[in-house]
Amino acid sequence: MRAEGSSPAVGSGPSMVIVTLDNHLAGTVIAARRRLASSAPGLGLTLHAASDFTGDPQALARAEADIGRADIVVATMLFMDEHIRVITPALEAARARGATVIVCMSAGEVIRLTRMGGLTMDKSDRGPLALLKKLRGGKAGAGQGGGGGASGAGQMAMLRRLPKILRFLPGAAQDLRAYFLTMQYWFAGSDENLAAMALFLADRYLPVARRPWPGRIKAPEPVEYPEQGVYHPDLNVASSLKIGPDPAAIPHPPGTTATSGTVGLLILRSYPLADDAAHYDGVIRAFEARGLRVIPAFASGLDARPAIERFFMKDGVACIDALVSLTGFSLVGGPAYNDAAAAEEILRRLDVPYYAAQAVEFQPIERWAGSSAGFTPVESTIMVAIPELDGAIAPALYGGRSTSSGETCCGCERHCQFEAGRNAAQMRACDERAEALAAKVARMVALRRAARHDRNVAVVLFNFPPNSGAAGTAAFLGVYESLFNTLTRMAREGYDLVPPASVDALREAILGGNAARLNTDANVLDLVPLDSHLRRET
């Protein structure tokens, strides 16, 4: 299905085409086109989502046709080989015929296709590409937290400084300045900034003969929004974007108390800026309905550590009971890369359970619901496997992008209700799944806050193949020694248990007892009736 942010095919007038990873700026592009209608009449603005290319050949054909006629092409967030491979020929052709091609926040092989006046990036790793590498995080940022040079905060500060430094330098330096300003507009991707980006690039790179308006256009500077901040649908701030710098401004819904527990939600700033945050709203409401205090926070760029340190920690200690990432990406690196060592370091300092939940973006949620495969391989890798390398647990889907104009998206029994009058290709929460996520985290928060002597703990031992004397065995591991040490420490730290006197006594307690009489692999404490087991499992 065609993205709502795309316009009718690019015609004979001047045009700018945006190619990016997904559709989350589709509604923003529509709003930006309305702004351009008065300030630059006749300038076309079209968005194409690379996530549509592999499942919809017509989507790729439309993108190729629009790029083939465009005066200016802006490509961002092209990291995946399956996207790069199919769209690169069109970008190369546009560059060869003299169109302005700007590739940002993408893999190196496509960034090198950039051509802006006298600026190209296809010659060496020195000059412009060296500056870009400094804006990329990675292992250099591990252990530096939010203040490191490779952190998200450091990257964004550098991005703001560069255009100011380059302002007074001649020649190709002005094209390089335009490149970094384009990134500034894009990172703060509200409709104001996308419209201003289009005006800025059209005024600089559109040939005079192709301009249907007289004279020069003075494009506004990028509107700046908080680099780290909080979001809430009820936040009482001047901006309609509902983002601000202070979690104290988040309203306390009825029923939430200081003793209920606090959950830190990590979100992407780009969705509130695009006025497309209904999926976050659904999760926020679900947690608040459980009586939990919620702090939904973001850090711009690709590094969540500044938000964690600023909003989820106080004096170096966690002020939340659980961390839930709704971004679907790495904690440090986003969709571009994964710095698991840096994530491990900040999570160790935070020391609370860390959940990663996913909203499908690379396919409509209706397609996901009707597919026996579920997540695509790309989604499984980026949104499930890579966050687990950071230490995330219990992956769960809570919503996604819907192309349906009806009332349901994922086919759940709840029949999710959606806000009327919004752009059809919008992000939506599945009420049933958002509530299940909130219930799961609420139970963990309650368990974490319970006194240790009141907790019930189960230990599961490996036993494969069954009925072969393999209970508690594992290659090169001392299972009973580890379990003995664990039980001993639990008793020392307040759990209500009496550990066995020795490792041998523990092994005998598990494997002996009534095992010989019942002909079982281990001691049997209780029997589960078959009908009870069937009721629980079906």
Side-chain angles (χ1 to χ4, degrees):
M1 181 174 289
R2 188 156 194 186
E4 285 292 311
S6 61
S7 65
V10 173
S12 59
S15 66
M16 186 172 92
V17 172
I18 298 172
V19 181
T20 190
L21 176 64
D22 53 47
N23 279 309
H24 84 272
L25 287 177
T28 310
V29 169
I30 292 174
R33 280 206 300 265
R34 296 191 191 106
R35 290 177 176 270
L36 293 174
S38 58
S39 53
L43 177 62
L45 180 63
T46 306
L47 180 140
H48 294 278
S51 57
D52 293 339
F53 294 166
T54 52
D56 185 355
Q58 292 184 350
L60 175 61
R62 287 193 296 266
E64 291 171 332
D66 283 354
I67 293 170
R69 293 184 289 262
D71 299 278
I72 301 169
V73 181
V74 177
T76 69
M77 308 299 283
L78 298 179
F79 301 109
M80 302 179 194
D81 180 68
E82 60 188 282
H83 300 157
I84 294 170
R85 186 174 61 254
V86 297
I87 203 62
T88 291
L91 298 176
E92 289 174 336
R95 188 180 193 271
R97 65 175 170 79
T100 296
V101 177
I102 307 163
V103 187
C104 308
M105 292 87 72
S106 298
E109 61 264 38
V110 276
I111 285 180
R112 286 178 168 84
L113 298 177
T114 296
R115 178 188 177 277
M116 305 171 65
L119 173 69
T120 61
M121 297 191 185
D122 56 356
K123 303 221 185 256
S124 73
D125 285 344
R126 292 175 294 178
L129 285 181
L131 286 174
L132 287 179
K133 284 187 175 181
K134 290 184 179 180
L135 287 173
R136 183 192 185 278
K139 293 186 178 179
Q144 294 178 355
S151 71
Q155 295 166 28
M156 299 310 297
M158 184 182 213
L159 181 59
R160 287 192 299 271
R161 285 196 302 268
L162 284 171
K164 297 175 182 177
I165 295 171
L166 296 168
R167 179 184 293 274
F168 302 106
L169 298 180
Q174 290 308 299
D175 294 310
L176 185 59
R177 177 176 181 269
Y179 182 89
F180 289 118
L181 275 174
T182 300
M183 291 180 67
Q184 274 189 257
Y185 283 120
W186 181 264
F187 268 126
S190 62
D191 59 320
E192 292 176 275
N193 278 331
L194 285 194
M197 180 183 78
L199 292 175
F200 170 73
L201 294 174
D203 185 61
R204 181 167 182 84
Y205 295 108
L206 197 63
V208 174
R210 294 279 292 160
R211 303 181 188 187
W213 57 85
R216 299 290 302 275
I217 295 175
K218 177 63 176 175
E221 292 290 316
V223 177
E224 293 190 2
Y225 303 102
E227 296 295 342
Q228 300 96 40
V230 294
Y231 163 81
H232 194 280
D234 297 334
L235 197 61
N236 185 21
V237 294
S239 170
S240 63
L241 303 170
K242 303 299 182 184
I243 63 174
D246 185 7
I250 297 175
H252 283 261
T256 60
T257 67
T259 58
S260 300
T262 302
V263 176
L265 298 182
L266 283 174
I267 66 171
L268 294 174
R269 185 184 70 166
S270 56
Y271 285 95
L273 289 184
D275 190 25
D276 194 15
H279 56 319
Y280 295 155
D281 297 351
V283 174
I284 291 168
R285 301 301 190 200
F287 275 93
E288 290 176 343
R290 290 273 169 181
L292 293 166
R293 168 80 165 145
V294 181
I295 305 175
F298 60 81
S300 62
L302 304 174
D303 187 346
R305 288 176 295 175
I308 292 174
E309 291 184 322
R310 181 174 177 182
F311 301 113
F312 303 153
M313 303 181 78
K314 184 176 181 180
D315 299 326
V317 178
C319 57
I320 60 174
D321 298 283
L323 175 65
V324 181
S325 174
L326 303 181
T327 68
F329 294 127
S330 301
L331 203 63
V332 182
Y337 63 96
N338 171 250
D339 190 344
E344 179 183 349
E345 189 272 338
I346 190 67
L347 289 173
R348 182 184 295 110
R349 290 167 53 203
L350 193 62
D351 193 26
V352 300
Y354 172 45
Y355 295 84
Q358 299 79 29
V360 285
E361 175 74 78
F362 300 149
Q363 60 177 321
I365 194 169
E366 293 86 0
R367 185 189 302 166
W368 169 86
S371 167
S372 59
F375 284 160
T376 66
V378 167
E379 289 168 332
S380 296
T381 300
I382 292 180
M383 299 193 303
V384 179
I386 292 180
E388 286 183 349
L389 295 177
D390 295 341
I393 60 173
L397 181 135
Y398 66 91
R401 185 164 301 283
S402 174
T403 56
S404 171
S405 58
E407 294 182 344
T408 63
C409 62
C410 62
C412 70
E413 294 181 0
R414 182 63 57 83
H415 299 300
C416 312
Q417 300 293 314
F418 303 119
E419 183 179 345
R422 285 176 57 92
N423 169 26
Q426 63 177 325
M427 296 299 288
R428 297 171 169 177
C430 169
D431 295 341
E432 186 177 356
R433 289 178 171 274
E435 290 172 10
L437 172 63
K440 184 190 318 178
V441 176
R443 287 193 296 270
M444 178 63 79
V445 170
L447 178 63
R448 183 178 175 82
R449 285 177 164 248
R452 288 177 175 173
H453 62 266
D454 291 332
R455 300 175 186 174
N456 295 320
V457 180
V459 177
V460 180
L461 295 184
F462 186 81
N463 183 25
F464 186 85
N467 305 318
S468 300
T473 64
F476 306 109
L477 295 178
V479 174
Y480 292 104
E481 288 81 356
S482 297
L483 179 57
F484 176 79
N485 292 337
T486 299
L487 295 174
T488 301
R489 179 170 175 178
M490 289 176 67
R492 190 167 61 243
E493 295 188 3
Y495 286 88
D496 185 16
L497 63 87
V498 178
S502 65
V503 174
D504 289 338
L506 172 63
R507 183 184 293 106
E508 173 57 28
I510 293 174
L511 299 182
N514 58 18
R517 179 168 57 84
L518 297 178
N519 193 28
T520 57
D521 280 2
N523 182 63
V524 175
L525 177 64
D526 197 3
L527 298 175
V528 180
L530 179 59
D531 58 346
S532 174
H533 174 72
L534 291 175
R535 282 196 305 271
R536 293 175 183 177
E537 300 299 322
T538 57

